[in-house]
């Protein structure tokens, strides 16, 4: 089978992945809770023969800084309800919901995702996150978030319980035999009876086994613990965007981890984020990107940079930054700290300078051919198995990608021109997991 | 405004409310996780101008007795995902999801139901339950269910938190103003900052205020604590079916409780369950009901009766029952105990006798006119504001009701012939709740 470049269409803030993408003249910021707005997004992705849409999520409203309330377009629909509606508005595309393992219960998550998998006839995916913000903890009884390693330990056990619940029923256990009166074959039913450190869950699930066996599992997996969990359990990893050399090293290291867990390297697809700004010409694309950057309110610039370097800043984004005396740059590999190091070395930089630098580093700006070149290079040089596309402004940025870049990728034979397989798992080239009859676990 | 009889269409086991309704020749037991099956149900209800569909739920699979696995058609879809899909397959009908306050978190529930309300443009309802089975506790870390009064205390606080979260945003707080860059008006944002006995939730919600303000709240409210919670907070009560005299007393007592909570009697609609078996003639209806009863497997009969009278029974449903020596009939108002009393008095009864008696007591069998007569009598004599219709077998039983009884109700002017209002709340004649800016609570 020819290796095929995978495509996911990402949405978090409905106006686009740039915080003020909603301000663009083409945007529709009054429609952030309008199902027709999301339907158009999903149908556009399906028109582009994307493998999946990918709804990011957070269990909080970001009001730590005033700019979060004033300027971000954060109000939106909850992913599982939204994807269930989109399941019947689409027919072939995957539907990935972000769900936290820290503030949920496995029985609910197993049920809801199994249900979405049935409703969509095998197109559900779960993007597992462990929720890192204090803002999330405070909506669920706590004041601080769980310790990082404990979150991942809980996450690993959570996946284990969910798998056991999805395995409650054999694929052929539902007989529905009018004649005998046997609805289910008791021999095909297993009780999870899970007793672990974080969860005690008996089961069985009251939903029959999902069409995909286990719906597809996405993870972000940036940290060491995150990569371990992903290598052990994920079907696909959503990675951050890196310069091509760093991306190749990340890719190789993660595939090695996958192998270390006794799996084949191609059992886990690695999908970095891609933030394209595309137009017919390079000049038009740069103009659009510059316009989006220029639409960023000053308060966001100042508060975003203040947050990233960990110190308060004056309200004027054009004032030179004086690093705080207690500045810690222990981890120089992180880009905010690279900037801190430059500040500490005496370089004269304003918040606007730093914000703009981050912006241009994070985006892929160019003509359709140039963007396709970059994607192809990364795909063919061991930096990516595909991409999760985050348009900066919606719907324009994503529709431009589908109209301009996708045909170029298709001409090059990198992506498909139509859907062939039925389930998302099949489309990703992954086997349907055999049912494992759960055995009692004591941890 | 003319008082109008309200109609809800109930679904729990997808094959119908009789446990072996799925065995009927017209049933479709292989389609219990098929979205098209539920779409037909919802669209049939909409064709009948029902006010709402009503999805019951439980967080467990009932395997306490072998018959639960063998003979019940229990596997089904999760309500919130299912209703979200149905929201875009329908346009006017209400969508009521059963959600437990014992095994959920208010932030999740507030988000999901607000999201469903946006997706459906104001048609969401929440049927609040507190989950009474040990089977449910065991799927969420516990071995036994919470004490009854504690469950209702938690339920009351849960509703309070959810209301505060729905009030996070003023109705006009989302400006989405491209020019100024102001997405939201900070003056229209309130942090819940709830600190109570059961929940600590800061908020705000990341979903704008639901179209209905507060989506409609249903409760079952059979017990004293349940009725208190319903009288204080519910918009509609789902009640069990009772003989007309008892139903009138229940209705009057609950309306009095509503008044005692400072509300108007018509702020809470009382909707008893109705289990109709209807056909063109009385004889055909009785034949269908008898056929459904006769389709009940013996194991269900024995185990159901054993469960209801609290003692194990021999496997033969036709063996006379000998009451256990330690039988307790303290609460004689409960019908199983009325039967126990008869057993204790020496009456010769088999499990089949008792099961059949319960069955015939629970159903309304007759011609369209006879069923409409009973509904009209109850509606006009202070026993009901409407009904939650539970067909015994799906789809036949419900479609017969819509095709035969609904036109009769419409001819009598009891129910509408078309939808007029936009939201479910409007259709129920209820005001849209004004936003209350939450204040910090310490309990």
């Amino acid at each position: 089978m020819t290796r095929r470049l995978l495509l996911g269409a990402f949405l978090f803030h409905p106006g686009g992945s740039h915080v003020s993408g909603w301000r663009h003249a083409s945007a529709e910021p009054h429609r952030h809770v309008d199902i027709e707005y999301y339907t158009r997004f999903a149908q556009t992705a399906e028109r582009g023969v994307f493998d999946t849409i990918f709804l990011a999520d957070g269990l909080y409203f970001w009001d730590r800084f005033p700019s979060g309330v004033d300027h971000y377009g954060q109000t939106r629909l909850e992913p599982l309800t939204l994807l269930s509606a989109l399941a019947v508005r689409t027919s072939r595309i995957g539907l990935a919901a972000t769900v936290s393992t820290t503030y949920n219960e496995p029985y609910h998550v197993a049920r809801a995702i199994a249900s979405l998998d049935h409703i969509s006839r095998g197109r559900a995916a779960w993007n597992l996150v462990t929720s890192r913000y204090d803002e999330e903890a405070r909506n669920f009884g706590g004041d601080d978030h769980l310790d990082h390693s404990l979150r991942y330990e809980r996450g690993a056990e959570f996946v284990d319980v969910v798998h056991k619940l999805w395995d409650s029923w054999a694929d052929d256990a539902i007989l529905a035999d009018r004649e005998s009166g046997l609805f289910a074959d008791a021999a095909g039913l297993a009780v999870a009876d899970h007793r672990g450190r974080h969860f005690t869950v008996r089961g069985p699930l009251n939903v029959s086994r999902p069409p995909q066996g286990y719906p597809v599992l996405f993870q972000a997996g940036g940290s060491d613990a995150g990569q371990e969990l992903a290598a052990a359990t994920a079907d696909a990893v959503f990675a951050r965007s890196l310069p091509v050399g760093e991306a190749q090293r990340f890719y190789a290291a993660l595939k090695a981890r996958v192998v270390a867990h006794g799996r084949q390297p191609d059992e886990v697809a690695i999908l970095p984020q891609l933030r394209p700004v595309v137009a017919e010409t390079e000049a038009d694309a740069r103009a659009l990107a510059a316009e989006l950057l220029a639409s960023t309110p000053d308060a966001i610039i100042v508060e975003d940079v203040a947050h990233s370097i960990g110190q308060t800043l004056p309200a004027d984004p054009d004032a030179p930054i004086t690093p705080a005396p207690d500045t810690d740059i222990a981890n120089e590999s992180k880009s905010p700290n690279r900037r801190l190091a430059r500040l500490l070395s005496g370089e004269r930089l304003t918040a606007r300078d730093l914000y703009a630098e981050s912006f241009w580093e994070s985006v892929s700006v160019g003509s359709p051919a140039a963007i396709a070149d970059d994607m192809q290079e990364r795909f063919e040089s061991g930096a990516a198995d595909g991409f999760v596309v985050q348009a900066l402004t919606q719907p324009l940025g994503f529709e431009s990608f589908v109209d301009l870049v996708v045909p170029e990728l298709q001409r090059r034979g990198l992506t498909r021109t139509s859907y062939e397989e039925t389930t998302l798992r099949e489309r990703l080239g992954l086997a349907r997991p055999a049912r494992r009859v759960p055995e009692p676990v004591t941890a």
Side-chain angles (χ1 to χ4, degrees), chain A residues 14-296:
Chain A
S17 77
H18 183 62
V19 286
S20 56
W22 66 266
R23 288 185 77 182
H24 193 263
S26 62
E28 300 171 345
H30 277 99
R31 301 183 64 202
H32 285 193
V33 291
D34 178 347
I35 183 64
E36 304 305 330
Y37 179 78
Y38 295 92
T39 298
R40 178 171 163 183
F41 169 71
Q43 291 178 345
T44 301
E46 202 160 51
R47 175 160 64 80
V49 200
F50 272 58
D51 295 287
T52 191
I53 57 174
F54 186 105
L55 297 191
D57 192 43
L59 300 168
Y60 63 98
F61 181 88
W62 181 255
D63 63 350
R64 196 181 299 186
F65 303 101
S67 63
V69 179
D70 295 343
H71 302 304
Y72 283 46
Q74 291 184 68
T75 51
R76 60 181 180 276
L77 299 174
E78 186 277 333
L80 279 165
T81 44
L82 173 54
L83 288 174
S84 301
L86 295 179
V88 297
R89 287 281 178 86
T90 56
S91 59
R92 306 303 289 273
I93 198 162
L95 307 158
T98 296
V99 179
S100 168
T101 53
T102 299
Y103 302 113
N104 270 299
E105 291 284 341
Y107 200 85
H108 288 310
V109 171
R111 273 187 96 198
I113 296 178
S115 187
L116 178 62
D117 207 42
H118 283 291
I119 291 170
S120 65
R121 304 190 192 280
R123 297 185 284 134
W126 168 20
N127 175 40
L128 184 159
V129 297
T130 63
S131 305
R132 61 186 168 134
Y133 291 116
D134 288 349
E135 278 79 0
E136 301 183 277
R138 291 183 197 130
N139 290 328
F140 295 90
D143 281 328
D144 300 304
H145 60 76
L146 268 185
D147 175 73
H148 185 268
S149 65
L150 208 57
R151 290 208 317 271
Y152 276 91
E153 183 189 280
R154 179 183 162 108
E157 190 180 328
F158 198 113
V159 172
D160 183 38
V161 182
V162 167
H163 283 173
K164 287 175 181 168
L165 290 169
W166 284 338
D167 282 337
S168 294
W169 295 94
D171 288 311
D172 58 359
I174 307 302
L175 307 172
D177 181 32
R178 281 190 192 82
E179 199 54 43
S180 66
L182 283 174
F183 186 82
D185 175 7
L189 173 64
V191 168
D193 221 358
H194 177 92
R195 291 175 185 272
R197 175 165 178 194
H198 297 275
F199 303 105
T200 298
V201 179
R202 178 182 178 272
L205 203 64
N206 53 10
V207 186
S208 44
R209 197 158 189 259
Q212 296 183 96
Y214 302 163
V216 170
L217 186 63
F218 277 80
Q219 278 169 57
S223 69
D224 192 69
Q227 287 185 47
E228 272 304 293
L229 182 57
T233 65
D235 298 307
V237 168
F238 170 51
R240 66 193 175 106
S241 175
L242 293 169
V244 66
E246 282 181 58
Q248 287 164 338
R249 286 192 290 281
F250 177 86
Y251 183 97
L254 185 50
K255 294 278 179 170
R257 279 192 204 248
V258 169
V259 172
H261 279 275
R263 306 172 72 196
Q264 297 296 317
D266 59 6
E267 284 181 54
V268 182
I270 299 177
L271 309 175
Q273 63 174 330
L274 175 74
R275 304 181 75 220
V277 184
V278 65
E280 293 283 2
T281 67
E282 162 90 19
D284 286 350
R286 288 204 72 82
L288 173 58
E291 184 188 357
L292 288 167
L293 174 59
S295 76
T296 317

